[in-house]
Amino acid sequence: MKDLHKHRSRTVTEGVTRAPHRAFLRATGLDDEAIDKPFVAIVDTYGENTPCSMSLNQISDNVRLGIAAGGGVPIRGSAISVSDGTSMNHSGMRFSLVSRETIADSVELFVRAHCYDALVGVAGCDKTLPGILMGMVRVNVPGVFLFGGAMLPGVAPDGSQATILTAIEAVGAAQRGDMSAETLRGIEKRCTPTAGSCPGQFTANTMAMVAEVLGLAPLGSAMVPAVYSERIAIARRAGENVMRALRNGGPLPRDLVTRKSLENACAAVAATGGSTNAMLHIPAIAHEAGITFTLDDVSEVLARTPLIGDMQPGGRYLAVDLHHVGGVPAVLNALLAGGHIHGDTLTQSGETLETALRAFPGPDGRVVKPHDEPLSPNAGLVVLRGNLAPDGAALKTAGLKQLVFSGTARVFETEEDCMAVVAAGSYREGDVLVIRNEGPKGGPGMREMLSVTAAIYGQGMGEKVALLTDGRFSGATRGMCIGYVGPEAAAGGPIRLLRDGDRIHIDAIKGSLDVELSDEELAQRAEAYQPFARGRLGGVLEKYEALVRPAKLGAVTHSGAVTWPYEAPLGEAPAHGSQE
């Protein structure tokens, strides 16, 4: 590999015509010695809007120390984050998935505009992780990803363990009259005691696992809790690691993100009953690398992967528990022993995954089961298809007691319409609650329905009804909840044609999702269909609606595989069309 020392930043720092550029750099505190060093961007999503991001400042500060120790100049920048915790169950959730694109764009803007040589990306909340990862793959300079870590669990008033999911599901119990307002208040005050992301195998921890499996994050880093001092050492090493990758010429993000490593990531998600949102984010990361990796590809891996991680929300354990028994490598060692992942993919260190995993323990038998003693022979995630979802739909089966459900459609045009009925308890066993017009384009923004699903579960109706939507579900969602129904209503999907009283059949064993209607009846309804009208959008949602592609492709907003040709300083011959 080629030494990439000052590979990109020479464009800004070398030559007579760059005297004004160097003057600006001197105004930031750089001297001659620093200007001659490689420039390394640190892009984080630090903010005070969510506990997920509040610990990132300390991580980035310690990354700076590692970069400086490795001979580089660290330069920090920030991207926005949207807190799913406080944007759920109202119109603010339309901005959550949109923020993924904004973050990826911010990484590209910051790194390419200033010609930085390398990048460390730091993120802590649901969409910030895939956003930073997508940006890293897009710019394709030597890079390292760091997760901020999960929060520790709290304690409910009765002394039992409590997390944010406890509070969300307690709302349904309170609405039903099964919990007092005092108890709900006690849970609210004590379930989130530290900074960090939600502590179960929800979207943030799922995508942190994905980053590690892809090789973009250091092995063993993802499940370390946010408040553990070990994260300081991990951050410093990450700064040193990115400098090593710069000297060695890689591996670059697109060396790490390959079809095999993407399959490995899907297997890890499936094996731990991870968030269905990974089915959206993994194809989007692949898209940045120029790899077509759709819901069909994800489905193939899910079908052959056993469930071995006993992780919440479908199981019993949290990120901190997985950390104490070996972290993500414990899962990967179990999968490797069973032939469920490729061992020849690269890790961030440049070693193969199989070689790197030798330094880590295998499954403990409690949090992570051996491959030949799985919790279930099938993955914790299933892709469903049928006349109601020709492009597929996603269901998390981990923790489900029944995998087949038939019921009567109760159709809602928006999440708010459904939530009002659920809050009032005005639905009944056997209903299939259908929420449409919430897809990437129809929402726009593909809201997740955690408040609805958690209220249903809290009311004791978790598997007595089903919920079906072209929107998303949170990684914390559990129950018979089917999301990502494609095509979405706004793109002409059959979900737009459903009416109250239609019979819907869900079979997670066969992987089917059908409505009991003939092709002729569906065609007649299509002729008479009147699209749902939301009204004028404007702003970022208008731009997103115009650009976003289907969920099965990752809800991406550009054509992918961005190239960044090397731009030589004046007087140096260019490397024609190269992106090194």
Side-chain angles (χ1 to χ4, degrees):
M1 293 182 178
K2 179 180 179 182
D3 186 337
L4 299 181
H5 180 88
K6 291 292 288 182
H7 178 60
R8 296 286 185 185
S9 59
R10 293 171 63 218
T11 303
V12 173
T13 62
E14 294 187 6
V16 174
T17 63
R18 296 306 188 243
H21 304 62
R22 292 190 294 272
F24 258 77
L25 293 171
R26 293 181 194 283
T28 69
L30 301 188
D31 56 17
D32 287 343
E33 184 179 357
I35 289 172
D36 286 339
K37 294 179 179 179
F39 292 171
V40 182
I42 305 170
V43 180
D44 62 39
T45 57
Y46 168 77
E48 297 178 347
N49 58 319
T50 170
C52 311
S53 300
M54 289 188 69
S55 64
L56 302 187
N57 209 8
Q58 184 182 38
I59 292 176
S60 291
D61 276 345
N62 281 281
V63 170
R64 290 170 65 97
L65 296 176
I67 291 170
V73 176
I75 304 172
R76 283 190 62 182
S78 293
I80 58 92
S81 66
V82 169
S83 170
D84 284 10
T86 52
S87 66
M88 62 181 171
N89 196 26
H90 58 85
S91 60
M93 180 51 74
R94 292 198 178 95
F95 296 88
S96 176
L97 186 59
V98 178
S99 74
R100 185 190 76 176
E101 309 308 303
T102 303
I103 293 163
D105 292 347
S106 296
V107 172
E108 180 185 12
L109 290 167
F110 188 64
V111 173
R112 290 191 63 179
H114 305 104
C115 298
Y116 293 136
D117 298 296
L119 166 67
V120 177
V122 185
C125 194
D126 286 12
K127 309 310 170 296
T128 66
L129 279 86
I132 292 289
L133 292 169
M134 290 162 64
M136 289 177 64
V137 178
R138 189 182 301 177
V139 298
N140 201 36
V141 296
V144 176
F145 175 82
L146 287 179
F147 177 42
M151 67 172 61
L152 297 178
V155 180
D158 65 0
S160 61
Q161 179 177 276
T163 69
I164 187 63
L165 181 58
T166 311
I168 295 168
E169 292 184 351
V171 171
Q175 289 171 335
R176 192 178 181 180
D178 294 338
M179 179 180 290
S180 69
E182 181 182 1
T183 300
L184 177 61
R185 183 77 167 167
I187 292 171
E188 171 194 331
K189 287 185 173 183
R190 299 169 63 179
C191 69
T192 53
T194 73
S197 68
C198 300
Q201 192 66 340
F202 311 154
T203 302
N205 287 323
T206 296
M207 293 310 300
M209 178 176 285
V210 165
E212 201 170 310
V213 178
L214 290 175
L216 294 169
L219 275 176
S221 65
M223 296 297 135
V224 180
V227 295
Y228 278 22
S229 297
E230 187 178 345
R231 284 222 163 266
I232 296 173
I234 291 171
R236 289 178 180 171
R237 286 199 304 270
E240 295 170 354
N241 289 348
V242 79
M243 293 307 300
R244 183 183 64 237
L246 193 58
R247 290 191 300 272
N248 294 341
L252 301 179
R254 294 188 197 177
D255 298 326
L256 298 168
V257 178
T258 64
R259 180 163 293 277
K260 284 185 176 182
S261 71
L262 292 162
E263 290 181 353
N264 286 353
C266 292
V269 173
T272 55
S275 171
T276 55
N277 281 323
M279 298 180 178
L280 198 68
H281 300 322
I282 291 174
I285 294 168
H287 182 75
E288 298 290 353
I291 300 170
T292 301
F293 197 86
T294 69
L295 194 58
D296 291 328
D297 299 295
V298 176
S299 178
E300 288 181 12
V301 180
L302 301 185
R304 64 178 187 245
T305 306
L307 178 64
I308 59 173
D310 193 2
M311 304 290 290
Q312 289 190 25
R316 295 178 292 172
Y317 298 106
L318 302 173
V320 63
D321 301 309
L322 180 54
H323 167 62
H324 288 309
V325 299
V328 175
V331 176
L332 297 181
N333 271 319
L335 291 173
L336 184 65
H340 297 293
I341 59 172
H342 307 283
D344 58 348
T345 60
L346 288 178
T347 61
Q348 183 199 96
S349 66
E351 296 178 295
T352 66
L353 182 60
E354 182 174 9
T355 299
L357 286 174
R358 291 172 187 161
F360 296 91
D364 69 305
R366 179 176 57 92
V367 181
V368 182
K369 303 290 186 182
H371 71 92
D372 53 356
E373 299 176 18
L375 294 161
S376 167
N378 301 312
L381 300 166
V382 174
V383 174
L384 309 175
R385 294 186 186 279
N387 69 347
L388 194 46
D391 286 351
L395 168 65
K396 179 185 284 192
T397 59
L400 279 182
K401 296 181 179 65
Q402 58 179 10
L403 298 178
V404 177
F405 189 97
S406 292
T408 304
R410 183 90 179 271
V411 182
F412 304 93
E413 302 297 346
T414 68
E415 178 190 4
E416 287 84 357
D417 293 343
C418 183
M419 189 62 191
V421 168
V422 170
S426 301
Y427 63 105
R428 61 187 181 185
E429 185 174 340
D431 281 348
V432 178
L433 306 176
V434 179
I435 304 176
R436 61 191 178 197
N437 306 303
E438 295 288 2
K441 190 173 289 289
M446 205 177 193
R447 288 191 288 181
E448 64 182 31
M449 312 292 172
L450 178 57
S451 289
V452 178
T453 61
I456 290 170
Y457 214 95
Q459 292 171 4
M461 298 288 280
E463 294 193 33
K464 296 177 182 178
V465 299
L467 198 149
L468 184 71
T469 181
D470 53 7
R472 295 183 297 117
F473 290 123
S474 164
T477 290
R478 54 178 171 168
M480 185 60 72
C481 299
I482 298 100
Y484 310 97
V485 173
E488 61 172 300
I495 191 173
R496 81 192 193 284
L497 306 176
L498 291 178
R499 297 175 183 171
D500 287 347
D502 289 341
R503 289 290 292 175
I504 294 174
H505 303 288
I506 303 158
D507 192 329
I509 300 172
K510 295 180 180 177
S512 62
L513 175 60
D514 294 286
V515 59
E516 208 172 278
L517 295 172
S518 66
D519 291 344
E520 291 76 17
E521 172 65 19
L522 288 170
Q524 289 174 8
R525 291 188 184 186
E527 289 182 6
Y529 174 71
Q530 294 295 319
F532 177 73
R534 279 200 184 277
R536 183 178 179 275
L537 290 171
V540 68
L541 292 179
E542 183 177 285
K543 291 187 283 187
Y544 185 79
E545 182 186 34
L547 294 171
V548 70
R549 303 182 185 200
K552 69 174 183 178
L553 302 177
V556 294
T557 56
H558 70 105
S559 59
V562 169
T563 59
W564 183 8
Y566 174 66
E567 188 175 351
L570 293 179
E572 179 180 306
H576 297 289
S578 67
Q579 178 172 335
E580 300 183 50

